[in-house]
């Protein structure tokens, strides 16, 4: 039996499938790539297959369509893999059409595997919502392809295949709708097509169902009328058998001469009996029935024995007096057998003249067997078929059609639930697919008695089915054509609608990139034109405002960049939104490391107890703190945190107090060193002076020694005071330099003589080494002499007695200057201590118990002097190997005077 599907479901699913396939093809073509073309070809081929399925009415299976579907799925798989994109149960009477949903195992498996490959390619290429829906749709289509063999077996197979295809098409359409969100044009086209598709599906479903229902109702009515007519003919046959039985009794009377079979046959012939499939039986009230005539092969011993028990026979045998029918009785009966056959019998009783009121002693039963011969000669016009069903369960006992058709009617009867409990009006089953329309009526033994069989009249679909199919094909073609025409119209209309919006979008993108001169150039009279003109006015206004803002921002940026204080601004959540260069330098961070981070993370500022100060929820005016940098170093700062005015957030200001701390340290060191340097010579001066005052009669030698000590210590005090005065003059810019040509040899000799006199105990240690042929230098000998004095002072302090200290003069390494300096063989200076050599009030040994005194200003003074005069200052030292401090002096282009004298000490 060919399975059918509801045309409403078929139309909806096939339109959705065609729309999904064409939508997939259109989306792929938008990529404008070879892979997109492959996907488009595959989608177009799938759409063609689905159109063919909708139009191939009357065919239940098609391997060629399955192979084409598999080939299209392979094209989809190849294109997608290379980036081509990314119920209430229906009653049987609603089944209308047969379409080629089925296929044999091989083509079905090929189509299913190819669809699965396409689904896998879609999932591999696009792992997003679009890919998920497309994958789901193709996977459902794969399920429909695998289930295709079931669509040829009846039952729910066709509905399952069609349902899977419909769900797959819906999933693909959902994916395409999501994909359409990326473009306004596709949104417009998709919206129009969605409306048209919905109307098309509704129209096909409603009109198609109406067409199918109309043909089905007409066929039902015609077949039902034919069945009623056949049942009436069966009643007429019963009346004929009753009359024949009554005439036979009248002709024979009460005698038994008619009991001879030959006589009975002749009498039946004389009475005009039909003579086909009939029989005559005498049934006595007591005894066995006697077969008098038989022209049917169905009357055997079991039938004769069962005939006496039939209700019509018993009715006549037991009727007496006025209750006995005078003209006999007729009724259909079910004859014994497997399966039991049906017959129509007429019963007439033999009246005993002597006992007219008594029940008959015997009855004559004349009947016609309702077999295949009866069915074939009864009704064979207009494509109708007659079938008689009997037995439990029901079986076809007579049919005027082939055994295959009889089997189909039997299946329809089983599906319709036809049995002996059929209601009096019977039941009519409409055409399912190519199955015939069948009317079932009960055959009852007596009027109002039990049903003994079923009369079935069928009519093939024939011309009616052809007309129905032509109407449905026309409906599908019209819907598809309308869908394609509307799609093209929507595309054209969408482009005309979206193009101005596209130009607006392009202009907006240019504005977003900073081009505030961008205009749209659209001057339409519709809303888009108004929007365009407003947009142009807006960009012009934005250009002017942006220029003002840019100037203000430039000024603000200049102010922030020029600030020496560090500044960090945060939002309401404590996220840094702005930072200036001073703050980055204080934090030792780069701008990308700060912006967008929490203030407490990027600014590690702590108070004296280690508590955090960089908290946007605090309000600080001017608190001391330290910045802890990523490299482990610290920076002393003053911290201020205040909320921003008018907006949520706060601003952190850091002021570097390194200089302030250095000044404080220098003050402390200065006071400590000055007090130490002045107290040291003052102590012996005061002591010896008190001795001289308190003991006027001291020996002259002691007086001389005390006076000499007082003089030497006062010179030391004077040198300290002179150095302080020189440093103060240098810091205040009051230093006056008068350079002139000076002999290098004379310059060194003066300094050597002065120090040999100043430190007589180191006379033998002080040396001089001057390279030959050195030219005169252009310097102020006073200040250069003071610089050499500081070098010599350090050398004498830190070099042990007996270790040489040498005044040197030679060409500089580049040969453009004369390098003069002091070289000793002392302990040298460690690398970690070299950074503080030229700092004010700094000494290598800065402890309170240091062995060597001094203010810590000598080398700082030399550094400032060298920087102001432009003399390169070099230091060469190795720990344990001595040190050398030198100045590179410019060469004079004039000869020096005969003798250079140094400053008086």
């Amino acid at each position: 039996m060919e399975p059918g599907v509801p045309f409403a479901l078929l139309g909806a699913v096939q339109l959705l499938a065609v729309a999904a396939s064409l939508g997939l093809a259109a989306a792929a073509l938008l990529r404008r790539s070879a892979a997109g073309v492959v996907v488009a070809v595959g989608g177009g081929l799938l759409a063609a297959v689905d159109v063919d399925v909708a139009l191939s009415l009357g065919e239940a299976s098609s391997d060629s369509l399955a192979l084409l579907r598999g080939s299209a799925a392979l094209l989809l798989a190849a294109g997608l893999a290379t980036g081509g994109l990314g119920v209430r149960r229906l009653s049987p009477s609603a089944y209308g059409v047969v379409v080629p949903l089925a296929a044999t195992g091989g083509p079905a498996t090929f189509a299913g595997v190819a669809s699965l490959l396409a689904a896998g390619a879609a999932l591999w290429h696009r792992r997003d919502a679009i890919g998920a829906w497309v994958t789901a749709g193709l996977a459902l289509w794969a399920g429909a392809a695998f289930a295709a063999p079931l669509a040829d077996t009846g039952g729910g197979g066709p509905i399952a295949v069609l349902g899977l295809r419909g769900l797959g098409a819906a999933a693909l359409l959902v994916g395409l709708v999501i994909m359409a969100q990326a473009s306004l044009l596709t949104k417009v086209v998709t919206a129009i097509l969605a409306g048209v598709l919905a109307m098309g599906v509704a129209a096909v479903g409603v009109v198609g169902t109406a067409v199918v229902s109309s043909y089905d109702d007409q066929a039902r009515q015609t077949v039902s009328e034919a069945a009623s007519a056949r049942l009436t003919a069966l009643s007429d046959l019963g009346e004929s058998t009753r009359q024949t039985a009554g005439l036979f009794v009248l002709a024979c009377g009460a005698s038994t001469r008619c009991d001879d079979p030959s006589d009975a046959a002749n009498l039946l012939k004389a009475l005009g009996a039909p003579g086909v499939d009939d029989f005559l039986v005498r049934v006595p009230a007591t005894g066995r029935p006697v077969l008098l005539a038989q022209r049917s092969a169905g009357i055997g011993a079991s039938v004769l024995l069962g005939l006496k028990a039939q209700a019509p026979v018993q009715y006549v045998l037991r009727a007496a007096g006025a209750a006995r029918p005078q003209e006999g009785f007729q009724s259909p009966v079910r004859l014994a057998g497997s399966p039991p056959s049906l017959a129509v019998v007429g019963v007439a009783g033999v009246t005993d003249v002597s006992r007219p009121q008594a029940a008959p002693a015997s009855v004559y039963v004349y009947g016609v067997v309702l077999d295949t011969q009866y069915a074939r000669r009864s009704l064979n016009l207009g494509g109708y078929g007659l079938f008689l069903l009997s037995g439990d369960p029901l079986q076809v006992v007579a049919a005027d059609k082939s055994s295959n058709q009889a089997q189909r009617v039997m299946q329809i009867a089983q599906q319709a639930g036809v049995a002996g409990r059929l209601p009096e009006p019977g039941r009519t089953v409409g055409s399912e697919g190519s199955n015939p329309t069948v009317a079932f009526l009960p055959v009852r033994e007596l009027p109002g008695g039990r049903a003994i069989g079923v009369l079935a009249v069928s009519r093939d679909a024939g011309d009616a089915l052809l007309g129905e199919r032509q109407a449905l094909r026309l409906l599908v073609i019209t819907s598809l054509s309308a869908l394609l025409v509307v799609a093209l119209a929507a595309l054209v209309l969408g482009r005309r609608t979206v193009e101005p919006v596209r130009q607006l979008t392009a202009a907006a993108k240019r504005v977003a990139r900073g081009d505030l001169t961008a205009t749209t150039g659209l001057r339409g009279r519709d809303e888009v034109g108004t929007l365009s003109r407003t947009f142009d006015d807006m960009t012009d206004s934005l250009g002017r405002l942006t220029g003002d803002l840019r100037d203000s921002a430039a000024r603000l940026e200049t102010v922030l960049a020029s600030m020496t204080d560090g500044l960090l601004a945060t939002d309401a959540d404590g996220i840094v939104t702005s930072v200036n260069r001073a703050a980055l330098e204080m934090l030792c961070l780069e701008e990308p490391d700060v912006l967008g981070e929490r203030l407490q993370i990027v600014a590690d500022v702590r108070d004296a107890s280690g508590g955090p100060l960089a908290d946007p929820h605090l309000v600080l005016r001017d608190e001391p703190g330290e910045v802890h940098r990523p490299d482990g170093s610290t920076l002393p700062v003053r911290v201020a945190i205040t909320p921003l005015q008018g907006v949520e957030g706060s601003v952190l200001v850091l002021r570097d107090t390194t200089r302030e701390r250095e000044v404080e340290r220098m003050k402390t060191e200065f006071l400590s060193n000055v007090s130490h340097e002045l107290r040291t010579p003052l102590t012996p001066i005061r002591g010896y002076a008190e001795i001289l005052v308190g003991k006027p009669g001291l020996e002259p030698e002691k007086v001389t020694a005390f006076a000499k000590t007082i003089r030497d210590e006062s010179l030391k005090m004077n040198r300290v005071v002179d150095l302080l005065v020189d440093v103060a003059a240098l810091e205040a810019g009051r230093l006056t330099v008068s350079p002139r040509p000076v002999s290098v040899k004379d310059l060194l000799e003066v300094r050597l003589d002065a120090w040999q006199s100043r430190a007589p105990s180191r006379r033998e240690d002080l040396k001089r080494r001057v390279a030959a042929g050195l030219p005169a230098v252009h310097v102020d000998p006073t200040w250069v002499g003071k610089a050499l004095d500081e070098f010599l002072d350090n050398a004498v302090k830190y070099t042990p007695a007996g270790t040489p200290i040498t005044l040197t003069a030679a060409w500089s390494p580049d040969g453009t200057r004369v390098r003069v300096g002091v070289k000793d063989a002392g302990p040298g200076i460690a690398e970690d201590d070299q950074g503080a050599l030229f700092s004010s009030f700094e000494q290598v040994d800065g402890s309170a118990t240091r062995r060597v005194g001094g203010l810590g200003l000598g080398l700082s003074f030399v550094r400032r002097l060298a920087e102001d005069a432009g003399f390169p200052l070099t230091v060469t030292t190795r720990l344990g190997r001595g040190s050398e401090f030198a100045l590179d002096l410019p060469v004079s282009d004039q000869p020096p005077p005969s003798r250079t004298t140094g400053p008086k000490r």
Side-chain angles (χ1 to χ4, degrees):
M1 183 174 67
E2 293 179 346
V5 294
F7 181 77
L9 179 62
L10 171 71
V13 169
Q14 294 307 110
L15 283 178
L16 288 175
V18 171
S21 300
L22 292 179
L24 194 64
L29 283 178
L30 291 177
R31 295 187 63 86
R32 297 181 180 180
S33 63
V37 173
V38 174
V39 173
V41 172
L45 185 57
L46 274 180
V49 171
D50 286 320
V51 170
D52 197 1
V53 168
L55 299 180
S56 299
L57 302 175
E59 300 178 23
S61 179
S62 175
D63 289 348
S64 60
L65 290 181
L67 292 173
L68 285 175
R69 191 180 297 277
S71 301
L74 284 180
L75 290 174
L76 288 180
L80 292 174
T82 52
L85 281 176
V87 188
R88 185 174 64 128
R89 184 181 182 274
L90 297 174
S91 63
S93 62
Y95 291 170
V97 293
V98 173
V99 288
L101 297 175
T104 57
T109 302
F110 168 68
V113 171
S115 299
L116 283 180
L117 290 176
L123 182 62
W124 177 77
H125 175 60
R126 296 198 65 149
R127 298 187 179 181
D128 55 4
I130 297 174
W133 282 106
V134 173
T135 301
L138 293 175
L140 288 169
W141 279 0
F146 283 123
L150 302 178
D152 205 18
T153 60
I159 299 297
V161 171
L162 206 57
L164 288 173
R165 286 188 186 173
L167 291 175
L172 282 172
L173 289 174
V174 171
L176 292 173
V177 168
I178 296 175
M179 187 184 300
Q181 303 305 308
S183 169
L184 182 59
L185 175 61
T186 54
K187 281 184 180 180
V188 173
V189 175
T190 301
I192 297 175
L193 289 182
V196 174
L197 183 61
M199 290 189 293
V201 168
V204 169
V206 173
V207 177
T209 302
V211 170
V212 174
S213 298
S214 175
Y215 280 106
D216 186 63
D217 292 342
Q218 183 178 0
R220 283 167 177 263
Q221 183 178 359
T222 303
V223 175
S224 179
E225 292 174 352
S228 297
R230 187 62 258 167
L231 196 61
T232 301
L234 196 61
S235 178
D236 294 341
L237 177 63
E239 182 64 23
S240 176
T241 59
R242 184 191 65 77
Q243 292 177 359
T244 301
L247 291 174
F248 189 86
V249 170
L250 290 176
C252 291
S255 66
T256 59
R257 63 182 180 84
C258 295
D259 288 350
D260 181 77
S262 59
D263 292 339
N266 292 329
L267 182 56
L268 285 177
K269 187 175 181 180
L271 292 175
V276 179
D277 300 326
D278 59 352
F279 62 90
L280 179 65
V281 178
R282 183 174 181 271
V283 182
T286 58
R288 298 172 63 87
V290 178
L291 179 63
L292 300 178
Q294 177 183 5
R295 280 177 287 188
S296 171
I299 306 301
S302 60
V303 174
L304 288 176
L305 291 175
L307 191 61
K308 187 174 183 178
Q310 295 286 348
V313 177
Q314 288 294 317
Y315 176 73
V316 176
L317 282 173
R318 294 176 181 177
R324 185 174 68 242
Q326 298 299 319
E327 298 179 356
F329 190 79
Q330 61 89 16
S331 174
V333 296
R334 182 162 61 185
L335 304 177
S338 181
S341 58
L342 298 178
V344 177
V345 298
V347 184
V350 179
T351 305
D352 188 349
V353 178
S354 63
R355 301 173 60 190
Q357 298 299 323
S362 62
V363 296
Y364 284 93
V365 179
Y366 176 76
V368 176
V369 179
L370 305 180
D371 57 7
T372 299
Q373 292 184 4
Y374 167 78
R376 288 177 177 173
R377 73 170 184 267
S378 296
L379 185 67
N380 193 16
L381 298 173
Y384 290 97
L386 175 65
F387 305 87
L388 290 168
L389 287 69
S390 180
D392 189 12
L394 287 178
Q395 298 182 53
V396 177
V397 296
D400 70 337
K401 297 293 183 180
S402 65
S403 59
N404 289 334
Q405 292 174 309
Q407 184 65 27
R408 178 174 294 186
V409 170
M410 193 66 230
Q411 291 177 358
I412 295 173
Q414 291 173 352
Q415 293 177 357
V418 173
R421 296 184 300 277
L422 270 176
E424 189 65 35
R427 179 174 298 167
T428 302
V429 178
S431 173
E432 177 185 349
S434 61
N435 291 336
T437 301
V438 184
F440 296 95
L441 292 175
V443 178
R444 301 189 181 277
E445 192 174 46
L446 291 172
R450 69 186 180 94
I452 59 174
V454 176
L455 172 71
V457 175
S458 70
R459 186 184 183 188
D460 293 335
D463 296 335
L465 187 59
L466 292 177
E468 172 187 308
R469 290 172 179 173
Q470 289 176 355
L472 296 180
R473 285 193 184 97
L474 182 61
L475 181 60
V476 173
I477 291 174
T478 302
S479 300
L480 291 174
S481 300
L483 184 63
L484 291 176
V485 171
V486 172
L488 294 176
L491 185 61
V492 175
L493 178 62
R495 285 188 178 277
R496 292 179 62 87
T497 303
V498 171
E499 181 60 25
V501 179
R502 187 194 65 78
Q503 295 183 23
L504 274 170
T505 303
K509 288 182 177 179
R510 290 175 58 191
V511 172
R513 290 193 296 266
D515 182 9
L516 298 180
T517 62
T519 57
T520 61
L522 300 174
R523 292 295 180 267
R525 292 180 294 176
D526 56 6
E527 290 84 352
V528 177
T530 303
L531 177 62
S532 175
R533 290 189 294 274
T534 305
F535 181 87
D536 293 344
D537 295 339
M538 180 190 69
T539 56
D540 182 62
S541 177
L542 279 176
R544 294 193 300 272
L545 291 176
T546 303
D548 297 339
L549 288 174
R550 187 178 292 112
D551 295 339
S552 299
R555 288 193 296 271
L556 179 59
E557 184 177 356
T558 302
V559 170
L560 291 176
S562 302
M563 289 178 60
T564 58
D565 292 346
L567 183 143
L568 296 96
T570 70
D571 58 13
D573 298 325
I575 304 300
V576 178
T577 58
S578 180
V579 61
N580 68 348
R581 175 51 55 185
L584 294 175
E585 292 175 354
M586 292 181 185
L587 299 174
C588 288
L589 295 173
E590 295 296 329
E591 189 173 23
D593 302 329
V594 176
L595 295 180
E597 296 290 341
R598 291 194 172 276
L599 180 63
Q600 296 95 325
I601 296 176
V602 298
D604 186 4
V605 185
R606 308 175 194 174
D607 58 16
S609 61
L613 294 178
D615 188 345
H617 302 293
L618 294 177
V619 177
L620 303 177
R621 295 304 179 189
D622 190 18
E623 297 293 332
E626 280 190 342
V627 174
H628 290 255
R629 294 164 165 171
D631 59 1
S633 62
T634 60
L635 179 72
V637 293
R638 302 292 291 189
V639 183
I641 301 178
T642 56
L644 292 172
Q645 296 296 324
V647 294
E648 294 185 352
S650 60
V651 60
L652 169 68
V653 178
L654 302 175
R655 181 165 57 86
D656 187 357
T657 59
T658 302
R659 181 63 179 170
E660 296 177 8
R661 290 197 179 185
E662 181 67 16
V663 170
E664 290 295 329
R665 185 194 64 79
M666 291 173 63
K667 288 180 179 179
T668 303
E669 291 289 336
F670 172 75
L671 293 176
S672 175
N673 293 341
V674 167
S675 63
H676 179 272
E677 291 298 316
L678 294 179
R679 188 181 295 112
T680 299
L682 277 175
T683 299
I685 290 174
R686 180 178 177 180
Y688 288 132
E690 288 178 351
I691 292 174
L692 292 175
V693 173
K695 296 180 179 182
L698 289 175
E699 295 84 350
E701 295 83 1
K702 289 185 178 182
V703 172
T704 301
F706 291 165
K708 184 177 181 301
T709 301
I710 291 173
R711 185 200 62 186
D712 292 340
E713 294 302 325
S714 65
L715 289 176
K716 291 180 180 179
M717 289 181 60
N718 187 66
R719 184 175 180 279
V720 171
V721 174
D722 287 344
L723 181 59
L724 290 174
V725 172
D726 291 340
V727 170
L730 189 61
E731 292 289 342
R734 299 193 303 269
L735 183 64
T736 302
V737 179
S738 301
R740 60 179 183 272
V742 178
S743 169
V744 176
K745 181 179 179 181
D746 294 345
L747 183 63
L748 297 188
E749 283 183 352
V750 171
R751 304 273 44 89
L752 182 62
D753 293 342
W755 274 92
Q756 285 178 347
S757 300
R758 185 182 299 174
S761 61
R762 305 296 299 272
R763 179 180 293 273
E764 298 300 327
D765 297 337
L766 294 171
K767 308 292 183 181
R768 175 177 63 85
R769 186 171 67 245
V770 179
L774 291 177
V777 293
H778 189 71
V779 297
D780 187 331
T782 301
W783 297 109
V784 174
K786 289 188 177 186
L788 293 176
D789 283 345
E790 296 302 329
F791 291 162
L792 287 167
D793 184 60
N794 278 340
V796 170
K797 287 180 181 177
Y798 292 98
T799 303
T803 303
I805 300 172
T806 307
L807 278 163
T808 63
W811 285 102
S812 63
D814 59 3
T816 60
R817 290 174 175 260
V818 175
R819 175 169 292 182
V820 296
V822 176
K823 183 176 183 181
D824 61 55
I829 304 171
E831 184 176 355
D832 295 339
D833 296 330
Q834 293 178 15
L837 281 176
F838 297 98
S839 298
S840 299
F841 305 106
E842 288 278 356
Q843 289 183 308
V844 174
D845 181 9
S847 63
T849 59
R850 58 183 182 267
R851 180 178 59 86
V852 179
L855 294 175
L857 288 175
L859 292 180
S860 173
F861 169 72
V862 175
R863 175 183 61 80
R864 288 294 307 276
L865 195 64
E867 289 175 354
D868 290 348
F871 301 159
L873 173 63
T874 59
V875 179
T876 305
T877 180
R878 293 178 62 185
L879 196 61
R881 302 292 296 273
S883 305
E884 181 180 3
F885 293 82
L887 292 172
D888 290 348
L889 305 179
V891 176
S892 175
D893 56 356
Q894 297 179 3
S898 59
R899 181 67 177 176
T900 302
T901 58
K904 295 181 180 180
R905 308 301 294 176

